[in-house]
Amino acid sequence: MSVPVLTIDGPSGSGKGTVARLLAQRLGWHLLDSGALYRIAALAAQRRDVDLNDAAGVAELAAHLNVRFVGEDETCVLLDGEDVSLLIRSEQAGEAASVVAAHPVVRDALLDFQRRFAQAPGLVADGRDMGTVVFPDAQVKIYLDASAEVRGERRYKQLNEKGLGANLAQIIHDIRRRDERDMQRPVAPLKAADDAHRIETSFLTVEQVLTECLTLMGV
Ligand code: C5P
């Protein structure tokens, strides 16, 4: 029997990380933060002096990543046993992730690994191509969006809360550049699946988005 999968895609700062985590908690399902995998692939490359533009070199590392998501809500990320949860959250790590994520061979190297997260009783998968490429047969697909300004402000707040200092104008600028790279790349570009439900979150609270997602799932 196939395991139920809920995909949540959208650009950086659309709220998908928070919404995915809370939905997984409410449903008692597993969580896949696919962005963390690209962030970790970039970190592993930087640590081994592999150029982020060396697609084959990064793919080789990505294929053999020793990554585990642990903790009650599966949000603590271990790379070779080291907790890198905070390290991979910086804007620089996001930017590096977006560079390696544009290589088709890197995406291929992570595909099966991501699909193995679909374990009973269910999976909430958060990313850019969850509904289009990784889980095209997912039961429910959601695409969250918000304006670049709102997303920048959310990211600014998050980074400050984590003690990672930030500049709002710079963040909005970076978000736009990252959106463009993620949307323009030829393989698995950021876009809503044809059968995804789009939710514009700019003027919604997290609770309102959650309620809308649960309603779409018939919960
Ligand atoms: O979601 P997050 O900001 O952690 O993702 C970091 C980067 O990883 C994104 O900008 C995107 O380039 C890449 N990514 C991707 N496909 C995914 C998840 C993330 O290409 N499914």
Side-chain angles (χ1 to χ4, degrees):
M1 251 203 22
S2 71
V3 172
V5 176
L6 162 66
T7 60
I8 306 196
D9 290 302
S12 175
S14 57
K16 66 193 162 53
T18 306
V19 168
R21 181 172 47 80
L22 293 173
L23 280 172
Q25 259 172 26
R26 293 234 183 142
L27 297 163
W29 288 9
H30 296 287
L31 176 67
L32 167 62
D33 172 1
S34 61
L37 296 180
Y38 290 97
R39 288 170 184 261
I40 285 176
L43 175 67
Q46 285 166 331
R47 284 187 166 178
R48 308 229 176 140
D49 277 334
V50 173
D51 193 304
L52 299 182
N53 291 306
D54 172 2
V58 180
E60 175 62 22
L61 287 176
H64 300 102
L65 283 181
N66 174 14
V67 183
R68 281 190 308 133
F69 292 88
V70 298
E72 212 176 311
D73 52 8
E74 300 176 343
T75 54
C76 176
V77 195
L78 302 184
L79 171 62
D80 295 325
E82 176 194 344
D83 184 350
V84 293
S85 316
L86 194 58
L87 201 59
I88 60 166
R89 288 298 146 209
S90 70
E91 284 305 279
Q92 290 88 332
E95 177 66 23
S98 151
V99 173
V100 301
H103 304 313
V105 279
V106 172
R107 307 195 71 82
D108 274 355
L110 291 172
L111 197 55
D112 284 343
F113 185 69
Q114 294 178 82
R115 288 187 174 146
R116 285 201 290 275
F117 280 77
Q119 304 273 342
L123 175 70
V124 179
D126 150 14
R128 303 288 190 291
D129 61 343
M130 297 295 100
T132 50
V133 176
V134 183
F135 299 108
D137 299 327
Q139 281 71 5
V140 178
K141 301 180 184 179
I142 291 170
Y143 187 90
L144 299 185
D145 209 350
S147 70
E149 287 74 17
V150 168
R151 291 187 285 124
E153 274 166 30
R154 288 178 184 159
R155 185 49 63 101
Y156 175 74
K157 223 173 120 212
Q158 271 177 359
L159 289 170
N160 273 327
E161 278 165 8
K162 291 192 170 124
L164 302 167
N167 170 297
L168 180 59
Q170 183 66 43
I171 289 179
I172 295 175
H173 173 267
D174 291 349
I175 274 191
R176 288 212 167 95
R177 199 180 44 181
R178 187 128 68 92
D179 281 357
E180 199 172 303
R181 187 184 297 129
D182 289 347
M183 288 171 168
Q184 302 302 328
R185 68 182 174 217
V187 172
L190 168 63
K191 67 166 191 202
D194 291 339
D195 50 351
H197 303 276
R198 298 183 80 109
I199 305 178
E200 159 59 54
T201 71
S202 295
F203 304 106
L204 298 180
T205 62
V206 171
E207 201 50 46
Q208 285 170 320
V209 179
L210 279 180
T211 305
E212 202 161 328
C213 293
L214 289 167
T215 305
L216 286 168
M217 294 182 71
V219 175

